[in-house]
């Protein structure tokens, strides 16, 4: 944690962190309606957290969540390989431009915090995709 934060993968016992992750996405994306209004019940959340093809990572400074990543492993049909699709990636404003998003992507994709039976490219994961929406001013959104 020499950089001031650590990255951890949410696992089956990560229900409280999942709630924090939703709060962080809702605040950073200014979309509490989507992320916080109707959270999944505990049983659904536990099933989600146990899935190996769902990647939920948190960047933590102490106990404070400062960034998060939600991604999915997608098996492909055209070849025996998979891709990782990064669906949500957010960093709180005070921690931007300090390597948090890069660490979430790098450490997650390289399997250092995934604790999964695969990592890029050892398990046939061929690409990792990041969706980058337009910013309100028409430019590229930055984290």
């Amino acid at each position: 944690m020499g950089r001031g934060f650590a990255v951890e993968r949410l696992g089956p016992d990560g229900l409280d962190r999942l709630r924090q992750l939703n709060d962080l996405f809702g605040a950073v994306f200014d979309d509490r309606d989507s992320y916080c209004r109707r959270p999944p019940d505990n049983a659904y959340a536990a099933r989600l957290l146990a899935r190996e093809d769902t990647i939920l990572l948190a960047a933590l400074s102490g106990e404070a969540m400062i960034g998060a990543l939600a991604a999915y492993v997608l098996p492909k049909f055209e070849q025996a390989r998979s891709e990782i699709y990064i669906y949500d990636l957010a960093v709180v404003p005070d921690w931007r431009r300090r390597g948090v998003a890069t660490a979430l992507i790098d450490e997650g994709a390289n399997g250092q915090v995934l604790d999964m039976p695969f990592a890029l490219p050892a398990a046939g994961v061929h690409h990792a995709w990041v969706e980058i929406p337009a910013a309100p001013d028409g430019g590229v959104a930055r984290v």
Side-chain angles (χ1 to χ4, degrees):
M1 191 165 138
R3 58 193 171 197
F5 64 92
V7 175
E8 74 175 35
R9 179 170 188 223
L10 280 63
D13 61 344
L15 185 59
D16 290 338
R17 288 270 193 244
L18 178 63
R19 304 298 184 212
Q20 284 181 287
L21 183 134
N22 276 346
D23 289 342
L24 183 136
F25 284 142
V28 171
F29 298 150
D30 192 24
D31 189 6
R32 292 187 188 281
D33 191 54
S34 294
Y35 290 92
C36 306
R37 185 171 54 101
R38 293 185 307 177
D41 63 43
N42 290 352
Y44 177 91
R47 287 191 306 273
L48 182 73
L49 289 165
R51 293 180 60 103
E52 290 185 349
D53 60 355
T54 301
I55 303 167
L56 300 170
L57 303 177
L60 304 165
S61 177
E63 284 299 308
M65 189 176 295
I66 59 168
L69 177 146
Y72 304 94
V73 178
L74 304 172
K76 300 298 290 181
F77 68 89
E78 72 277 6
Q79 293 183 31
R81 65 183 187 192
S82 297
E83 296 177 348
I84 294 177
Y85 179 72
I86 298 174
Y87 188 76
D88 285 322
L89 174 62
V91 177
V92 298
D94 288 348
W95 279 86
R96 290 183 184 158
R97 314 300 293 168
R98 295 171 65 182
V100 177
T102 300
L104 285 163
I105 293 169
D106 287 350
E107 292 181 29
N110 289 319
Q112 294 174 23
V113 297
L114 294 183
D115 191 25
M116 296 176 141
F118 60 83
L120 290 176
V125 176
H126 186 69
H127 291 96
W129 298 98
V130 181
E131 179 180 357
I132 303 176
D137 65 3
V140 174
R142 297 186 185 270
V143 290

